[in-house]
Amino acid sequence: MTRHPRARLDDVIHAPVRFSIVAALASAREADFRFVRDTVEVSDSALSKQVSTLEKAGYVKVRKSSVGRRPRTFLALTAEGRTAFERHVAALRDIAEGRAVPASGGE
């Protein structure tokens, strides 16, 4: 039985802010928390909350360090997160391009 591509959408990634965070991280090995916050245009607390959800799902790794006396937080997609993002984007493309195949296999 073939299912509609929406069945492949990832509920964790699908939320608009989380999708934006994962998309911002997909093109980098690692990104500074402030860079992601500014790119996604959310507050520190909103980003922290969404990153926490992504981290619990195993999609994002958080690394804390210091540059001089300043604490810094870096975010990176895990291999699982990268795979989930790629699968989610592929499902979105299939939906947008009308690639839904009827379950009956008919026309």
Side-chain angles (χ1 to χ4, degrees):
M1 177 171 128
T2 303
R3 297 174 64 187
H4 190 277
R6 75 176 167 274
R8 297 192 325 264
L9 293 174
D10 188 301
D11 289 338
V12 174
I13 294 174
H14 196 63
V17 172
R18 289 193 295 266
F19 181 79
S20 298
I21 292 165
V22 174
L25 294 174
S27 62
R29 186 178 65 80
E30 182 176 75
D32 181 82
F33 182 93
R34 291 176 296 173
F35 171 80
V36 176
R37 176 200 64 203
D38 294 346
T39 299
V40 177
E41 299 178 345
V42 294
S43 67
D44 285 355
S45 62
L47 180 58
S48 290
K49 180 180 177 185
Q50 300 305 326
V51 165
S52 178
T53 299
L54 290 164
E55 188 177 24
K56 285 177 188 170
Y59 292 174
V60 170
K61 178 181 170 192
V62 177
R63 180 177 69 84
K64 298 191 181 271
S65 98
S66 295
V67 176
R69 292 181 164 208
R70 299 189 83 142
R72 301 276 298 269
T73 301
F74 296 92
L75 309 173
L77 283 182
T78 62
E80 181 181 357
R82 193 167 300 278
T83 298
F85 177 68
E86 290 167 359
R87 192 175 317 126
H88 186 81
V89 170
L92 288 172
R93 282 193 185 113
D94 288 348
I95 293 166
E97 294 172 4
R99 291 191 193 153
V101 178
S104 66
E107 294 182 17

